[in-house]
Amino acid sequence: MSKRRKNQRAEATPKREKVRDVFVPRPFEGLADEPEWIALRELVPAASAPLRLTPELVEEYGDRPVVLATVLPMAAPAVAKPDGRVLIGLQRHQQSGDVSRDLADALLCALRTEPGRQVSVPPLPGPGPRLQDILVDGPLEISMHDGFEFWLDPGAGDDPTVQASLERANAAIYPTVKLDAARAAYWCQVPEKAHVRWVLPDDEDAALDALSRLGAAGELTLGDGTKFAGMFRAHGRLTPVWDLPEDTPAAEWEGPVAEFAKRYAEALGEREPLDAAGRRARQGLLGRQLTLR
């Protein structure tokens, strides 16, 4: 091919715009229930919560019910139901460095999709509105589920293929209970043990110092038979984890978690620098920390 023809072909082919990814360490910052968004994203297997669109979006797309789900079938980012409902999934396969932008784009794509049709969502959405821009903010009204039947439309469970897929998804769920003793605190049971996981609402450094003070004082456990297992770092917040006896019901941990929350609040309020024991405890905690992204 001649050089001239190559140049003509290059001019005729539009250049594909390259979408650059951006990492946002606290994607849910500014939302009233930031720790709960993180918990539903990283810790909870099956839960849902209604969301409210801003008045501008209601005017453009109608007052369509929007439901936040921990996970959707095939880890889809969004579903446009035949009855007009929109479901968005927090836990999905493809994501950019800004989870809030991903979720907002999935929601907008679903609103633009004809009800009942498959929603197409780009893997990298590029610049645009985030959750904080398109939702009426407030505390999440979380419903916990034992299974994923909330996915289904009426009568859909009669389909053997759908039923088989649902059974596989339900088999992967481990029992999880939302605790009342602290916001974003959850009990869960896994093989041979149970855990309490609590997404702390505070700045990471301040939370780590408070936990270090408690560790130095020997007050990091939830009582006899329990062990402080370590921490997750997720979306700019710390999530301490405790190992518990597997045969003690979730309700029995409301009191110990409430007592620990009180000790933690007192330690968080201290303003003196950590002493030598506190610094050693802090180094030990850092060594038992896992970052989730």
Side-chain angles (χ1 to χ4, degrees):
M1 184 184 293
S2 70
K3 187 174 181 180
R4 179 180 178 184
R5 188 172 296 178
K6 284 182 179 179
N7 291 338
Q8 288 174 340
R9 176 171 291 184
E11 291 173 1
T13 303
K15 289 185 177 180
R16 181 180 297 176
E17 184 178 354
K18 186 175 182 180
V19 178
R20 298 182 62 185
D21 197 4
V22 177
F23 176 65
V24 177
R26 282 182 61 194
F28 305 113
E29 182 178 9
L31 293 173
D33 246 352
E34 180 183 11
E36 289 288 13
W37 281 89
I38 296 171
L40 295 181
R41 164 80 179 186
E42 301 294 346
L43 307 177
V44 180
S48 61
L51 301 176
R52 291 177 58 202
L53 299 173
T54 60
E56 295 79 9
L57 285 181
V58 170
E59 184 176 351
E60 184 173 358
Y61 297 105
D63 194 9
R64 296 171 63 180
V66 177
V67 177
L68 175 71
T70 47
V71 66
L72 293 175
M74 307 299 291
V79 172
K81 289 288 189 178
D83 61 4
R85 287 179 300 142
V86 167
L87 278 63
I88 62 168
L90 268 169
Q91 302 168 21
R92 49 188 276 191
H93 292 311
Q94 292 182 320
Q95 62 191 37
S96 74
D98 184 357
V99 176
S100 178
R101 172 68 185 123
D102 290 342
L103 294 169
D105 192 50
L107 176 50
L108 293 173
C109 288
L111 290 172
R112 299 184 192 112
T113 301
E114 182 180 342
R117 301 292 295 272
Q118 184 174 351
V119 180
S120 178
V121 179
L124 288 179
R130 307 172 74 243
L131 288 175
Q132 292 85 338
D133 303 314
I134 66 173
L135 297 180
V136 176
D137 192 22
L140 293 174
E141 298 175 10
I142 297 170
S143 297
M144 302 292 293
H145 303 288
D146 295 327
F148 291 111
E149 283 75 12
F150 70 94
W151 286 347
L152 302 181
D153 299 315
D158 298 335
D159 184 324
T161 303
V162 172
Q163 188 61 38
S165 176
L166 188 66
E167 289 175 0
R168 287 194 298 271
N170 286 346
I173 293 177
Y174 47 81
T176 302
V177 176
K178 183 171 169 44
L179 299 177
D180 295 326
R183 196 72 178 161
Y186 290 83
W187 173 93
C188 66
Q189 189 174 47
V190 296
E192 300 183 357
K193 68 176 64 174
H195 300 295
V196 162
R197 301 166 173 174
W198 179 20
V199 183
L200 301 176
D202 311 292
D203 174 79
E204 283 184 280
D205 285 336
L208 182 57
D209 281 354
L211 294 174
S212 301
R213 289 188 173 93
L214 295 175
E219 297 182 338
L220 264 184
T221 72
L222 296 181
D224 293 340
T226 72
K227 184 179 76 171
F228 182 82
M231 299 178 298
F232 296 125
R233 289 183 68 241
H235 308 296
R237 289 292 178 255
L238 294 182
T239 302
V241 179
W242 291 267
D243 289 340
L244 315 171
E246 64 173 326
D247 55 352
T248 304
E252 298 294 319
W253 299 106
E254 294 282 7
V257 171
E259 292 173 9
F260 180 85
K262 188 180 300 183
R263 297 197 302 272
Y264 169 77
E266 291 172 355
L268 190 69
E270 293 188 27
R271 292 293 176 260
E272 292 297 319
L274 293 175
D275 59 16
R279 292 193 297 272
R280 286 194 298 272
R282 195 178 201 273
Q283 288 302 312
L285 290 175
L286 287 172
R288 300 158 72 185
Q289 181 176 271
L290 176 66
T291 300
L292 302 178
R293 286 186 183 174

